[in-house]
Amino acid sequence: MKKAVYLLVLSAVVYSCGKKGPSATYVPRTITVTEKFNDSNDQADSALKIVKYTADEKEEAASKDLMAITFRDTLVNIKLHESDSGAVGKFGFAEFINTQKTAILAQISDNSGLTAPFFVIALKDGKLDVVSLYRPSNGKMDSEFTKGQTRIGRNGYLVNNDFFVANVNAKVYILKRQKPEERIQGEFLGNSPDRTTLAFLTSQTSSVYQTNYVSGEVLDQPLSKEALEDAYRYVQKNFTWQPNKNGTYFFKPGSAENPVDISSFK
C-alpha cells in the first residue's frame, strides 16, 4: 500500500526507445494547493519543447494536427494510472504558461468522447515534473460544465471549472467549490477588474457564485425571480463589480450606469 501511494506522489519514469526516438513515461502526481511551476532554465536552449506529433502509419490522418512534448530531446509520454498498460504521448492542446518556457499546460488527445485530462508538465530542480489537474466530482451536471480550458484574457486559463492556471508565473490555483463534492456547476460569466475573482452563473442554486482564487473568499449572490427569466441580460444590466472591506471584488446588484458586457461568455 505504501509503495502504491509513493508511486502516485512521485512521477515514475520508464525509458524506452522506438522509431520515433527515445521516450520517457511519467506517472503524474496529484497537485497540491497553489503550486508554482516557474523554475528557471540555466541552459541556452529550452529543456522543454512543444513539437509536431509524428503519427504511426496506422494512426488516423487527424493526428497531423496533434502535438508532442520533448524534454531534452526525449519524448514525454504519460501513463494516466500506474496500472495502465499503455501511455499517451500525443496532445490536443499544449501551451507554455511562463516566460521562462519551463512549464506547459497540456491536454492529452482522447477520442473517448469525454473531456480529456489536463496536466502541467514542468521543469523542477533540473528534472521533469508531471502533475495532474484532476479533482473527483459527483456533480449531476459535470458533463455540461467539464469544458476543458477557457482562456481568460491574458491572465491565464480556467480548467474544468476547478482550476485557474495563471500565465507568466505559472501558478495553479485550486478553486474553492460551491459544494465540496462537486466542481462548480455553472457557466463562467467573467472576472473582476483586478482579475482575481471568477464569477459563475449557476442554474441549480439560481445564483451568481464567485470565488477569489488568491484570497479564497467566496460569495454566493442569489438571483431574484425576475432575474431568472433572462439571467444573463439581468446580470449584465444590474450587477457591478464592488470591493468588500478587504478590497476583494465581487459581482453584486448595483448601479447600472456602466453595464458589464458578458455577452461573449454566453
Side-chain angles (χ1 to χ4, degrees):
M1 179 66 182
K2 290 183 179 179
K3 184 178 180 181
V5 173
Y6 179 77
L7 288 172
L8 286 173
V9 174
L10 297 178
S11 293
V13 185
V14 179
Y15 288 95
S16 64
C17 292
K19 63 180 181 180
K20 295 183 182 180
S23 64
T25 298
Y26 295 81
V27 177
R29 66 175 176 85
T30 302
I31 195 166
T32 57
V33 177
T34 315
E35 288 213 45
K36 191 172 183 179
F37 303 92
N38 202 28
D39 277 22
S40 60
N41 180 30
D42 297 330
Q43 298 184 4
D45 295 329
S46 175
L48 272 176
K49 294 179 181 178
I50 301 170
V51 299
K52 183 178 179 180
Y53 176 75
T54 303
D56 290 328
E57 294 178 0
K58 295 181 181 180
E59 292 184 289
E60 296 180 1
S63 296
K64 66 181 181 180
D65 297 323
L66 299 178
M67 293 166 279
I69 295 171
T70 61
F71 175 57
R72 297 196 176 114
D73 297 324
T74 299
L75 286 166
V76 175
N77 293 328
I78 296 178
K79 182 183 283 191
L80 303 184
H81 307 286
E82 179 62 27
S83 59
D84 289 352
S85 58
V88 181
K90 52 185 178 180
F91 301 87
F93 172 86
E95 282 196 13
F96 285 103
I97 53 174
N98 65 342
T99 54
Q100 302 274 6
K101 290 194 173 182
T102 57
I104 296 172
L105 174 64
Q107 182 184 29
I108 65 170
S109 175
D110 189 348
N111 297 321
S112 66
L114 302 173
T115 299
F118 282 85
F119 304 89
V120 172
I121 301 172
L123 184 68
K124 193 174 184 67
D125 299 326
K127 299 179 181 179
L128 195 66
D129 191 22
V130 180
V131 181
S132 173
L133 297 188
Y134 172 77
R135 297 164 69 189
S137 173
N138 62 5
K140 294 181 179 179
M141 302 177 71
D142 277 354
S143 60
E144 182 177 345
F145 299 117
T146 307
K147 295 184 176 181
Q149 56 81 19
T150 300
R151 184 70 182 261
I152 310 298
R154 298 178 182 178
N155 202 36
Y157 296 91
L158 171 66
V159 176
N160 289 334
N161 278 15
D162 247 345
F163 302 92
F164 184 77
V165 182
N167 275 336
V168 181
N169 62 4
K171 273 190 177 181
V172 178
Y173 297 88
I174 300 176
L175 301 183
K176 192 169 184 179
R177 291 172 163 182
Q178 191 175 22
K179 295 181 180 179
E181 68 279 5
E182 60 183 39
R183 64 180 50 96
I184 299 171
Q185 307 284 289
E187 292 285 348
F188 174 66
L189 283 175
N191 61 338
S192 57
D194 64 356
R195 305 293 185 253
T196 60
T197 300
L198 305 178
F200 300 83
L201 181 63
T202 65
S203 57
Q204 287 181 309
T205 56
S206 303
S207 66
V208 177
Y209 176 72
Q210 303 161 69
T211 175
N212 186 285
Y213 60 81
V214 175
S215 69
E217 295 173 86
V218 298
L219 175 67
D220 203 0
Q221 180 66 51
L223 292 175
S224 64
K225 291 182 179 180
E226 176 190 1
L228 296 179
E229 294 179 4
D230 190 343
Y232 277 94
R233 183 179 296 276
Y234 183 89
V235 169
Q236 184 177 8
K237 288 187 174 182
N238 296 280
F239 277 48
T240 60
W241 290 103
Q242 303 172 35
N244 65 9
K245 63 180 181 181
N246 299 321
T248 303
Y249 280 89
F250 287 113
F251 214 23
K252 302 178 181 179
S255 171
E257 294 179 0
N258 297 298
V260 179
D261 182 9
I262 59 172
S263 58
S264 60
F265 300 109
K266 187 170 182 180

